Amino acid sequence: MGDRWQVVVDRSVCIGSGMCAAAAPDGFRLDAARQSHPVAPEADAAESLLAAAEGCPVEAITLTVSGSGEAVFPPEE
């Protein structure tokens, strides 16, 4: 992929399912309140991050291309 992505979790939407941390353990952690947090606000583009975003049951994860802000997930319609 070669890009870097901005990784954002909307904690007002997150339900703490933990699916993101299971799909991308290097990308997400759950805090004591079971709210997801990205390990880093920017990361190398990775299939595991995309899988985590796509697998979030409430679509609380947003991925954008660093610099351009182009949507990776959810895709722009």
Side-chain angles (χ1 to χ4, degrees):
M1 290 185 190
D3 289 329
R4 296 215 19 106
W5 290 345
Q6 292 289 334
V7 183
V8 176
V9 176
D10 184 341
R11 287 187 284 281
S12 69
V13 175
C14 177
I15 60 170
S17 72
M19 293 178 74
C20 58
D26 293 338
F28 298 93
R29 297 278 185 267
L30 296 182
D31 65 17
R34 292 200 51 84
Q35 291 287 288
S36 177
H37 298 269
V39 171
E42 185 175 293
D44 288 332
E47 287 295 327
S48 61
L49 291 176
L50 183 57
E54 290 174 340
C56 177
V58 293
E59 292 189 0
I61 300 168
T62 303
L63 302 173
T64 55
V65 177
S66 296
S68 74
E70 178 186 347
V72 176
F73 189 87
E76 293 177 345
E77 303 209 10

